Amino acid sequence: MPADAWHARPTADVLAALGTTDLGLSTEVAARRLVEHGPNALPQHGGESALSILVRQFHNPLIYVLLASTGLAILTGKVFDGLVILGVVVLNAIIGFVQEYRAGKAIQALSAMVPQLATVLRDGRRQSLPAADLVPGDVVALQSGDKVPADVRLLEARTLKVEEAALTGESVPVEKGPAPVDADAGVGDRRSMGYSGTLVTYGTGTAVVVGTGARTELGRISALLKEADDLETPLTKQLGVIGTWITAGIVAVSVVLLAVGLLRGYPLGDAVLAAVTLAVGAIPEGLPAVVTIALAIGVQRMARRRSVVRKLPAVETLGSTTVICSDKTGTLTKNEMTVQALWTPAGAWRLTGVGYAPEGALVTDDGVAVPGPVPDAVRALLTAGALCNDATVERQGDAWALTGDPTEGALVTAADKLGLEAEALRVSHPRLDAVPFESERQYMATLHREPGGGQAIYVKGAPEAVLRRCALPEGGAERAAVLAEVERIAAQGMRVLACGVRRPGGSHAELAESDVEAGFTFLGLQGMIDPPRAEAVEAVRACRAAGITVKMITGDHPETARAIGEALGLADPGEEAVTGAELGRLSDEALREAAARHNVFARVAPEHKLRLVQALQARGEVVAMTGDGVNDAPALKQADIGVAMGITGTAVSKEAADVVLADDNFASIAAAVEEGRRVYDNLIKALAFLLPTNLGLAVILSVAVAFFPIVGGEALLPMLPVQILWINLVASVALALPLAFEAPERDVMRRPPRRPDAPILSRFVVGRTVAVALLMAAGAIGLFLNEYREALAAGVEAAAALGEAQTMAVTTVILFQIFYLLNCRSLKESVLQIGLFSNPWVYVGIGSLLVLQLGFVYLPVMHAVFGSAPIPAHAWGEALVVALVVIPAIGLEKWWRRRRAGA
Ligand code: ATP
């Protein structure tokens, strides 16, 4: 048998071989082993390789046209122009590559923001540590929802099921147990092993770590597992399609231009040059870089606002979200539970105090202190709550710290407040076995040895689940009294848990679900408050103003849900909650209706969540849905935006989600929606800025070829291809990039969501493009002709005059772009309304461009490369005046659009 056939060896043998015991390692030994074995992490293989990103930059129809232009230019004798175009294509590819590479890296780095944790036994104590710190010999606890943190050999399992699709491709969960299997069993058949990266979907277990990091099965195949850090989104795809159409159009117009040129008697070289120049000018070369940057900035800003995007398309989809379905506990509420109401068949009481500090007293329902010893009925109720419980509450400095589930922590604190000391109870009533809490079952049960001999089974959970197991006759007065009390406590927004006990007789070592079916004595109810988060109330209001409906979906009691829904402002006063059971009885048709009409859903199981998402989507809604449990994964995948909880969420839910909330807070979803809308707005701004320049350049060229005179057998072109590339690459990129940093529009959360199928080339973008292009073309052509005429009149020889006039045309376009940029900073408002200096990057862009343009006009080396020439100072003045025209023109357009929108 090979030494590492862990799956085939008995557990004692495995533990001995790894130099450990079932109590795990000491911190000291673990630290030493960590140095020896290295961290439990896979070597970063960083998504797409750099080479393939670089190659992709050339794999683009626009680039094909540019490359073809290069060839044509060289063939027709314009070798220098051809080489410059080629140089610029390469430069452009490098810029695109650097941007994409950096954006990809930034997005990858985000995954580190949601670290994987593992529950480990160190120094004999259960601790939650980063999975990266695990070493061989560590003993880990596994439970449903966890990602298996390393390769492990099972020591103990309780109905443990693991989904190993990451490794075997098999998505049906496999049952696991400690019994050794055949030495030659394949990975998929090694039932005594758990493999790193697979997901626990059911049950619990403990296991010893046998392999970490690269020495896991996952590590061995990790080269095959390159995660698709896709930089494609619906928007970039739409842009890709548009790009193809633009290219086809450009090629067609270029051919026409070539024909017109030849018909008018252009020499072949000049006609080709004109056609090539047009192609170069009309292609929006800077666009891909701007889009990538805007998306990457969006992702980073969302991360700063506590939403970690796992899939890039989510950035855009968030902006068009119309419905957010949110969990209640911990997302909309604080998940800081305090027991305040106690009820037993012997009477009703209240507990004072808030939080986990065991400081408070028992008072009557009217607030009068209860003298003397704690009544027996209360004692029995609190004992059940403290024993059927996995949480601990400990003093840490001045504060009280909870380990475990807040619902259970509240029960511990309640017992401690009345001097019952949960820890002492757990020692005097040792636990023998347990049926853990699962949302579907809504109860938890534990088996204990009692101090006086004998055994007891305690159960606690949702009142319906506990009452079903108690000897309170259906329809009887006692049961009715309990149910009325549940309603009364829940109506105050409290979560209600019931407790029961059964003394089975005999001696049992194990507790099965069948042992907790019936025969319990009902002990009473504990009602706990869980206040709404203040920022959630605010965020719900913001969402409503933004045309987004917020729906609360909770496992809690309908009355509790209704009261909290009302406090959060997402349900109207008196609006009833719909329960999961009611949803289950509805036809698909009726469900669609109910899903749209109601905002509070209670006692909802994960499968109802899935149906709710589907029903809402069938009505055309774009749905964001939160979830934390294993069984929420299908609903998270089905939703347009699946949102998982970073702190309390299971690994399974995070894996299925598009977005992970670092703070589990509903307000972070609202913030992410705002960022999503901003990213989209900024992309539209960049588009509305870039496209007019391209169309404008095409118009300038077309007018020149069709109408300008032919001087001395040579075509008179207002710009050379290299000059056009200068405008397109240097100016457009320097100016458009700052738009990605633009602050959100002031009405960003006061307007309805964008329709997800709305075209990006909207009437607004097209109209704006045509209008600005014509204005820009008219200005540039006018000043070109004027400068050319003046220079000739001043006795400058023809070639030099042409250079000067061309420089004038380029300068005019660039100044025009600078002023137009200021207008593009807001879609609707004027520059002054949004604040001239609110985005300093704009001025960084303008400043650098002006320096570059001065170089273009005055530096001899630029003259050599770009064919530019110095122009006199008064020419700058003229260009400035003409360019300034764009400000009142766009001001007028915005005013008109605002008026129409207001009317
Ligand atoms: P939400 O969906 O709003 O986040 P939730 O997920 O906290 O709510 P569940 O955890 O499914 O809801 O709880 C459903 C019900 O199960 C609760 O109303 C409560 O009565 C009961 N319950 C919750 N936690 C426990 C527990 N640890 N032990 C026993 N019963 C519990």
Side-chain angles (χ1 to χ4, degrees), residues 661-747:
L661 300 183
D663 58 357
D664 291 11
N665 190 340
F666 177 81
S668 305
I669 310 179
V673 168
E674 185 182 336
E675 286 300 332
R677 290 182 172 196
R678 191 181 87 124
V679 167
Y680 195 84
D681 279 356
N682 287 353
L683 282 175
I684 295 293
K685 289 173 197 174
L687 215 56
F689 173 74
L690 285 175
L691 292 185
T693 306
N694 295 112
L695 182 62
L697 295 177
V699 170
I700 294 173
L701 252 299
S702 304
V703 169
V705 172
F707 303 110
F708 280 14
I710 298 168
V711 187
E714 278 206 45
L716 190 61
L717 291 180
M719 285 175 200
L720 296 172
V722 282
Q723 295 169 343
I724 278 191
L725 276 169
W726 169 261
I727 293 174
N728 247 356
L729 281 169
V730 180
S732 297
V733 174
L735 293 181
L737 276 184
L739 287 176
F741 293 90
E742 205 53 62
E745 299 273 314
R746 277 191 297 188
D747 73 342

Side-chain angles (χ1 to χ4, degrees), residues 732-817:
S732 297
V733 174
L735 293 181
L737 276 184
L739 287 176
F741 293 90
E742 205 53 62
E745 299 273 314
R746 277 191 297 188
D747 73 342
V748 70
M749 289 298 269
R750 287 202 299 269
R751 55 172 136 101
R754 162 178 64 90
R755 288 177 53 97
D757 54 357
I760 21 177
L761 288 190
S762 57
R763 278 210 348 237
F764 159 70
V765 174
V766 174
R768 176 65 85 71
T769 300
V770 172
V772 175
L774 291 179
L775 210 56
M776 176 191 285
I781 291 174
L783 287 186
F784 167 80
L785 291 176
N786 187 46
E787 184 67 28
Y788 187 58
R789 205 173 33 82
E790 276 183 11
L792 287 181
V796 180
E797 53 120 357
L802 182 61
E804 223 173 278
Q806 285 172 333
T807 308
M808 183 69 182
V810 172
T811 308
T812 308
V813 168
I814 285 191
L815 291 180
F816 193 92
Q817 281 185 305

Side-chain angles (χ1 to χ4, degrees), residues 134-181:
L134 290 184
V135 294
D138 263 327
V139 171
V140 292
L142 300 174
Q143 69 169 2
S144 75
D146 288 351
K147 197 184 223 178
V148 177
D151 279 5
V152 298
R153 168 73 166 85
L154 288 166
L155 300 174
E156 213 174 74
R158 200 185 165 88
T159 56
L160 184 68
K161 288 191 189 155
V162 179
E163 192 241 278
E164 300 187 320
L167 215 55
T168 61
E170 173 57 63
S171 62
V172 179
V174 188
E175 209 161 305
K176 297 279 181 178
V181 298

Side-chain angles (χ1 to χ4, degrees), residues 328-340 353-357 393 399-414 417 493-495 527-535 556 560 564 647-648 663-665:
K328 171 177 73 70
T329 313
T331 312
L332 288 165
T333 66
K334 292 184 174 162
N335 207 8
E336 284 165 17
M337 307 262 180
T338 311
V339 174
Q340 291 201 330
V354 178
Y356 297 110
V393 175
W400 290 82
L402 160 80
T403 317
D405 177 359
T407 301
E408 300 191 343
L411 300 175
V412 170
T413 299
K417 275 181 185 168
M494 289 198 225
R495 156 170 286 201
M528 50 188 81
I529 53 156
D530 176 17
R533 290 175 183 263
E535 63 279 23
D556 237 328
T560 314
I564 297 284
I647 303 170
T648 56
D663 58 357
D664 291 11
N665 190 340

Side-chain angles (χ1 to χ4, degrees), residues 327-329 405 407-408 437 439 442-444 460-463 495-497 553-557 603 609 628:
D327 282 340
K328 171 177 73 70
T329 313
D405 177 359
T407 301
E408 300 191 343
F437 172 76
S439 281
Q442 303 218 327
Y443 74 85
M444 166 177 177
K460 77 162 199 307
R495 156 170 286 201
V496 189
L497 261 75
I553 302 188
T554 172
D556 237 328
H557 191 279
R603 289 289 189 241
K609 278 192 175 179
D628 47 13

